[in-house]
Amino acid sequence: MTIHQPDIDIDYHRAAKGPSDRIALGFVKALRFIADRFFRKRYGHRAVVLETVAAVPGMVGGLLQHLSSLRRMCDDKGWIRDLLDEAENERMHLMTFVEIARPSLFERILIMIVQAIFYNVYFFIYLFAPRTAHRIVGYFEEEAVTSYTRYLEEIDAGTLENVPAPQIAIDYWKLPKGARLRDVVIAVRADEAGHRDKNHEFADDIDAGRNPGRRSDDHTRADDR
C-alpha cells in the first residue's frame, strides 16, 4: 500500500534578511557541512544524529518560555505547548530511526557529545536572542526536509532497502500494517516541514512584537511612535 504524500512545499527556503538571519543560516550550513562529510549517504544514521539534535530546541524554548511566563505573569499565547509538542515529535522520530539504523557504540557516544554541546549553545542563544534561535530551527528544518527528500530518492532508486516500518512508527503515525520505510520517511518529512514553517512564524512574530511577554499595550505604544 502506498501512503499519500502530504501537500508540503519541499523546496521552500526563507531568504535571509539582516545579520540575525545570516548568522542563523550560516550556523545551520556549518552543521550541514559536517553532517555531509561524516555521514554522506548513510541517511538512517544521519537521521539518528539529526533527530537527537532536533529534539533539543523545542524543549529549551518551552522551558524558557515557561519560566518567562511565570516571571512576567503573562499568557504564553500557546507557544509552550507548541514547542513541547515539537520536542516530543522529534523524540519520536529518533525512537523510530534507532529501530531502523541501530546506531553503533561510537555513534551513541558521538550523539552524547553533540547533544551536550548543542544544548548549551542553543540555550544561551535562545536566552539572549530568541528570534535568532527560532530562525536557526527554521533553517535547520529546511535542511531536514532536504535530507529526507534525498533519503526518499535513494529508497525509490533501490539504493537503500525499503524495509518494513518499525511498530513504533506504525503506532505513532497510525500507518497501515504493511507500511514500509518509505512511508515513514514521508511522514517524518511532513513533520519537519511543519516545524520549519512554525519556527519561521515564531521568528516573524517576535519581529512584529507578538511574542509572549510583550504586552499588547506595549505593542500599541510602539506602533504609535
Side-chain angles (χ1 to χ4, degrees), residues 14-210:
R14 176 62 178 260
K17 296 180 180 178
S20 174
D21 285 3
R22 286 192 285 273
I23 290 170
L25 183 58
F27 180 75
V28 171
K29 289 296 184 184
L31 292 178
R32 178 59 187 260
F33 177 82
I34 295 170
D36 284 346
R37 293 299 175 275
F38 190 84
F39 293 104
R40 300 187 183 276
K41 292 189 176 183
R42 296 168 62 236
Y43 288 105
H45 295 267
R46 178 198 291 255
V48 170
V49 177
L50 171 70
E51 299 301 348
T52 302
V53 172
V56 169
M59 187 59 66
V60 170
L63 167 65
L64 291 177
Q65 289 293 347
H66 172 71
L67 294 177
S68 176
S69 179
L70 296 177
R71 186 171 63 253
R72 296 173 180 269
M73 292 177 277
C74 61
D75 183 59
D76 73 297
K77 301 179 183 178
W79 283 41
I80 296 171
R81 174 49 53 196
D82 284 344
L83 289 165
L84 294 182
D85 285 348
E86 175 187 311
E88 172 65 9
N89 179 249
E90 298 287 11
R91 189 181 68 83
M92 291 307 297
H93 293 177
L94 173 63
M95 296 299 102
T96 296
F97 283 106
V98 164
E99 292 292 321
I100 294 168
R102 301 291 181 181
S104 65
L105 177 61
F106 172 74
E107 287 168 331
R108 289 175 182 270
I109 293 172
L110 176 65
I111 285 167
M112 292 172 63
I113 295 171
V114 171
Q115 187 185 80
I117 294 171
F118 184 75
Y119 174 86
N120 286 283
V121 170
Y122 190 81
F123 179 91
F124 285 104
I125 292 174
Y126 201 103
L127 185 64
F128 295 109
R131 179 195 178 282
T132 302
H134 283 296
R135 197 67 84 197
I136 285 172
V137 179
Y139 287 132
F140 186 84
E141 299 294 7
E142 287 182 18
E143 296 292 346
V145 171
T146 298
S147 290
Y148 284 116
T149 297
R150 291 177 181 172
Y151 195 175
L152 199 59
E153 290 169 352
E154 293 293 325
I155 295 171
D156 289 343
T159 307
L160 296 175
E161 185 181 357
N162 190 21
V163 298
Q167 189 61 45
I168 189 172
I170 292 173
D171 293 342
Y172 182 70
W173 283 285
K174 296 180 172 55
L175 301 175
K177 273 190 174 181
R180 314 290 292 188
L181 173 59
R182 185 180 192 279
D183 306 316
V184 174
V185 174
I186 289 171
V188 172
R189 184 178 64 176
D191 289 345
E192 304 294 16
H195 301 323
R196 172 198 68 192
D197 298 342
K198 192 65 180 177
N199 278 277
H200 281 315
E201 180 185 321
F202 281 149
D204 292 342
D205 284 346
I206 292 173
D207 276 342
R210 295 190 297 267

